[in-house]
Amino acid sequence: MKRYFDTVKTLHTIAHDQFFVVIQMFVSCGLYNLAALLPPIATAGIIGVVTNGNFMGIWYYVILYLIFYVIYFSMLHWNYYSYTILANYYHLEVQKKIFEHVANNDSIFHKISKGKIVDTTSDDVRYLVDVMDAASEALMRFIQLIVIFIIFSSYNIIVACIAIVIDFLYLILMNNNSKRVSKYYEGTRKYEDKVIDTLNQMLVNLKQVKSLNMMPNLNKKLDKTRTKWSQEYKEKRKALIDRSCKMPYIVYIGKILLYILLAYFVSTGKMTIDKLVLLISYFELTITCTDSMLSYLLNLSNYGIRVKRIKNILDYTAESNMDFGDITNDYINGLVTFDKVNYEIKGKPILCNMSFKIYPNEITAIVGHSGSGKTSIINLLYRLNKIKSGSILIDDENIYNYSKKVYFTNVSGVFQKPFIFEMSIKDNLSLIDRNFKNQMEACKRAGIHDFIMSLPKGYHTIIDNEDRLLSEGQKQLLVIARAILTKAEILLFDEVTSNIDPNSTMIIKEILQDLKQDHTIIMVTHKPEMMEIADRVIVLDKGKVKSKGTNEEVFCRSALYRELRNRTFASVSTIHNDM
């Protein structure tokens, strides 16, 4: 019984704000289940008055029947109402918690597969309300059985003992069977997660999967997982077959023996017909209650696996997670300082003793060969990773001392690959600021407003990432507008022109030169046309600062910077000549 209690307890730790509604569910469940024990009393009463020749007395028991069923259905209605409230709360609240937790712990995918997270969020969450429903129903069925055995004892202690022995043996065997079913059910879910995880990856890269004809080999690889799933599923079905087709023999053999004994009591005058009917009715209820309780306990075991999967996701906390501070000063000027910063991944040094300053109202370009640590700097400023030693300061205050609201309203930016939700342009922008006037101003500053207005539905145009309504360059401009809308003082641009056309690149150059008037601009780039607009340059090589200063100073004294500029220029010239 402990594992059933632990499941309910765990669910309560995940979502506990509706405790009063949970109590209502248990109380209403108890009342309607107890009300279900009343009709046999009326049945026995009717038989009693009929056998005694007092037909008019039947109406008393008919009225009792009606009262019993009114009570039963009223309590059942209350139970359904409580279920509805809890279902709505558990589904929405826990799903929201998972979304927020994953967003705040993006490294969770290193430990828990995307397939499992997607499956848990979409499927397991739906069954949380059934945990409480199964728990309340199982508990009340148990109480029903106790009441029935008390009734048996009041009429005949021998009959009561036989009924208890039969039921107890049945319960033990079925409970052990439930453990087997749950074990193999958990196994099937594990292998389902692996298949779904592969499916998610395939959907993201479907064009490559098709063009490279990966499906035959992919199916061969998945067949191993499918075989393991099939083995677990077969074992689960074997346990269910034993449960449904073999173990009930215990009850029915016991039932026959008990009915023979009751018939003997009637034939010897030790029991009247109405008591016989009453005890048979209650024994049938015993079987019904036991089967129902076992079914709910089995469901509770399976739901416990779902609860455990949700709890595992919500319990995950990245080792590099950083707490926020309590500084709520929102008057950020935008001076960024790296002071002897060291950063490593799994013991491998990425940034070594790195120190530099980035000033407001300037564009600072961070350049270097691939793997030199450029994007790591951006990720540290986004607080996606944590430094090993040293300090990162904004306006001479450690970034880990700012409150979450202040930090993320003052540090924003754009990544290499633009990401836009498949919803309207207005709705995408409303995720940052719902003020439509502010949205239009941001789009004007990003140079995308005129294009949006040329669309048939303007800002209400639905973006479908598959229909190419927006080019990559236009998507990037829209994402820049979204970053502007945050009103952040510090804007980070990580290779934002690497996958877009030259015309969009020129537009972004102009945007950055405009934005620096009231922002701190930090730009990671490998394109010479972007490097040339930088006021300052930081050159990285193998995680170390090789040169820093104004653009002209660095170009004069850094061979690596000149190499990067000249190599890129040469490659661009070659491309144009080939065309």
Side-chain angles (χ1 to χ4, degrees):
M1 295 301 292
K2 184 179 181 299
R3 72 180 190 274
Y4 304 128
F5 177 77
D6 287 344
T7 296
V8 175
K9 184 179 177 181
T10 302
L11 175 56
H12 183 66
T13 62
I14 293 172
H16 55 269
D17 288 345
Q18 295 291 321
F19 181 71
F20 181 66
V21 181
V22 171
I23 295 300
Q24 288 188 61
M25 173 174 274
F26 274 81
V27 171
S28 59
C29 179
L31 292 176
Y32 93 74
N33 275 293
L34 290 175
L37 299 178
L38 299 177
I41 297 174
T43 302
I46 290 172
I47 292 174
V49 296
V50 169
T51 54
N52 291 329
N54 182 18
F55 183 77
M56 293 305 296
I58 197 173
W59 296 108
Y60 170 76
Y61 292 102
V62 169
I63 294 172
L64 274 184
Y65 252 126
L66 293 174
I67 293 173
F68 293 159
Y69 280 117
V70 167
I71 295 171
Y72 174 82
F73 285 112
S74 296
M75 296 303 102
L76 185 61
H77 181 274
W78 185 17
N79 185 256
Y80 273 46
Y81 177 74
S82 303
Y83 181 100
T84 302
I85 294 175
L86 275 183
N88 183 68
Y89 168 72
Y90 284 143
H91 192 111
L92 300 180
E93 187 65 22
V94 176
Q95 197 175 73
K96 180 181 176 182
K97 280 187 177 183
I98 294 174
F99 269 59
E100 291 179 347
H101 192 74
V102 170
N104 292 326
N105 295 272
D106 57 311
S107 62
I108 192 172
F109 300 119
H110 298 157
K111 184 176 180 181
I112 304 174
S113 71
K114 290 182 180 179
K116 182 174 182 177
I117 293 173
V118 170
D119 191 34
T120 297
T121 306
S122 61
D123 186 49
D124 293 332
V125 167
R126 293 188 296 113
Y127 291 90
L128 289 181
V129 66
D130 292 315
V131 171
M132 287 302 180
D133 184 55
S136 61
E137 292 287 357
L139 176 62
M140 297 313 157
R141 293 298 190 280
F142 181 71
I143 293 174
Q144 269 188 324
L145 288 173
I146 292 174
V147 172
I148 291 172
F149 291 140
I150 291 172
I151 293 172
F152 271 131
S153 300
S154 65
Y155 283 97
N156 192 297
I157 192 66
I158 297 175
V159 173
C161 290
I162 294 173
I164 289 172
V165 169
I166 294 170
D167 208 55
F168 185 69
L169 180 60
Y170 187 49
L171 280 171
I172 291 175
L173 292 174
M174 292 293 268
N175 186 54
N176 290 333
N177 178 268
S178 294
K179 292 179 182 178
R180 284 177 58 205
V181 173
S182 295
K183 173 188 172 183
Y184 295 119
Y185 173 73
E186 187 171 14
T188 61
R189 294 305 304 274
K190 180 176 72 173
Y191 294 115
E192 282 172 4
D193 289 337
K194 292 184 177 181
V195 172
I196 292 172
D197 195 41
T198 303
L199 175 62
N200 284 333
Q201 296 174 57
M202 188 184 80
L203 292 174
V204 172
N205 303 282
L206 190 57
K207 292 180 181 178
Q208 295 183 54
V209 171
K210 291 175 67 177
S211 63
L212 297 174
N213 193 30
M214 294 181 183
M215 278 310 300
N217 289 330
L218 192 60
N219 268 323
K220 287 180 182 178
K221 181 177 177 59
L222 284 174
D223 281 343
K224 295 179 181 178
T225 304
R226 290 172 180 144
T227 299
K228 290 179 180 178
W229 176 88
S230 180
Q231 291 169 349
E232 295 291 318
Y233 179 74
K234 286 177 181 177
E235 291 299 323
K236 185 186 81 169
R237 291 302 303 175
K238 284 181 183 178
L240 288 173
I241 290 170
D242 289 345
R243 183 186 191 87
S244 301
C245 303
K246 296 179 180 179
M247 294 180 185
Y249 278 114
I250 296 170
V251 171
Y252 289 102
I253 291 173
K255 179 178 174 180
I256 292 169
L257 294 175
L258 186 63
Y259 287 178
I260 291 173
L261 178 63
L262 290 174
Y264 171 75
F265 285 156
V266 172
S267 64
T268 57
K270 295 180 179 179
M271 184 177 292
T272 59
I273 294 292
D274 56 330
K275 289 181 180 179
L276 172 69
V277 171
L278 183 66
L279 292 180
I280 288 177
S281 298
Y282 276 126
F283 188 74
E284 293 292 342
L285 272 176
T286 300
I287 297 171
T288 302
C289 286
T290 302
D291 283 337
S292 182
M293 182 178 72
L294 290 167
S295 177
Y296 282 119
L297 288 176
L298 175 61
N299 289 338
L300 193 56
S301 294
N302 292 338
Y303 299 149
I305 294 167
R306 296 179 184 273
V307 171
K308 186 165 66 174
R309 287 158 60 90
I310 294 170
K311 189 72 162 53
N312 286 343
I313 293 174
L314 294 177
D315 281 349
Y316 175 84
T317 303
E319 292 180 2
S320 60
N321 263 17
M322 300 141 277
D323 292 330
F324 288 89
D326 54 6
I327 294 178
T328 57
N329 173 31
D330 200 19
Y331 298 101
I332 302 297
N333 192 34
L335 174 64
V336 177
T337 304
F338 272 54
D339 183 17
K340 299 179 181 179
V341 170
N342 290 284
Y343 167 62
E344 60 182 36
I345 298 177
K346 295 181 179 179
K348 179 183 178 181
I350 304 298
L351 303 180
C352 305
N353 203 35
M354 188 166 287
S355 296
F356 56 78
K357 285 193 175 184
I358 297 174
Y359 296 90
N361 310 122
E362 290 184 353
I363 299 174
T364 299
I366 302 176
V367 301
H369 291 304
S370 178
S372 60
K374 304 185 298 295
T375 297
S376 293
I377 291 174
I378 298 296
N379 289 341
L380 289 172
L381 287 170
Y382 277 127
R383 287 180 51 108
L384 298 176
N385 301 313
K386 189 174 184 179
I387 62 176
K388 180 182 180 184
S389 62
S391 57
I392 304 174
L393 312 173
I394 292 179
D395 291 357
D396 298 322
E397 188 67 58
N398 195 301
I399 64 171
Y400 305 125
N401 293 338
Y402 286 101
S403 70
K404 185 176 183 179
K405 180 179 180 181
V406 168
Y407 193 81
F408 286 122
T409 54
N410 282 283
V411 178
S412 185
V414 180
F415 291 89
Q416 178 177 346
K417 183 174 176 59
F419 170 69
I420 303 171
F421 284 101
E422 293 188 353
M423 56 178 70
S424 73
I425 294 172
K426 185 177 184 299
D427 286 341
N428 266 283
L429 297 172
S430 293
L431 294 173
I432 306 299
D433 187 345
R434 299 183 65 83
N435 188 300
F436 187 52
K437 182 179 178 181
N438 292 343
Q439 293 176 11
M440 288 193 294
E441 290 300 320
C443 288
K444 287 176 182 177
R445 197 167 184 186
I448 190 70
H449 173 75
D450 290 341
F451 171 76
I452 294 173
M453 294 306 293
S454 71
L455 298 171
K457 294 184 179 180
Y459 279 83
H460 295 284
T461 300
I462 303 294
I463 297 173
D464 186 340
N465 290 317
E466 295 297 324
D467 64 11
R468 306 271 181 200
L469 178 66
L470 274 68
S471 68
E472 288 300 305
Q474 289 164 337
K475 287 180 182 178
Q476 198 65 290
L477 294 177
L478 183 58
V479 173
I480 291 174
R482 191 168 62 191
I484 294 171
L485 204 56
T486 65
K487 298 182 175 63
E489 296 296 331
I490 300 167
L491 294 177
L492 314 176
F493 295 87
D494 187 7
E495 297 284 13
V496 295
T497 61
S498 61
N499 298 317
I500 63 177
D501 58 276
N503 183 56
S504 296
T505 298
M506 294 302 296
I507 294 173
I508 290 177
K509 280 179 60 177
E510 296 173 4
I511 293 170
L512 296 189
Q513 288 173 312
D514 171 56
L515 288 174
K516 79 173 185 178
Q517 304 304 318
D518 49 7
H519 293 84
T520 299
I521 304 296
I522 303 174
M523 172 180 63
V524 169
T525 186
H526 68 274
K527 287 193 172 183
E529 61 268 39
M530 297 304 293
M531 294 179 193
E532 69 183 15
I533 68 170
D535 298 293
R536 293 179 184 271
V537 176
I538 299 170
V539 183
L540 304 183
D541 185 36
K542 297 179 181 177
K544 297 180 180 180
V545 175
K546 283 298 181 182
S547 186
K548 59 185 176 181
T550 66
N551 205 329
E552 295 78 7
E553 290 172 346
V554 175
F555 191 82
C556 290
R557 67 176 180 238
S558 173
L560 176 56
Y561 185 45
R562 289 196 300 274
E563 175 196 341
L564 290 167
R565 292 283 297 269
N566 293 334
R567 179 185 297 176
T568 313
F569 271 124
S571 64
V572 172
S573 300
T574 302
I575 292 169
H576 284 302
N577 290 334
D578 290 342
M579 292 175 66

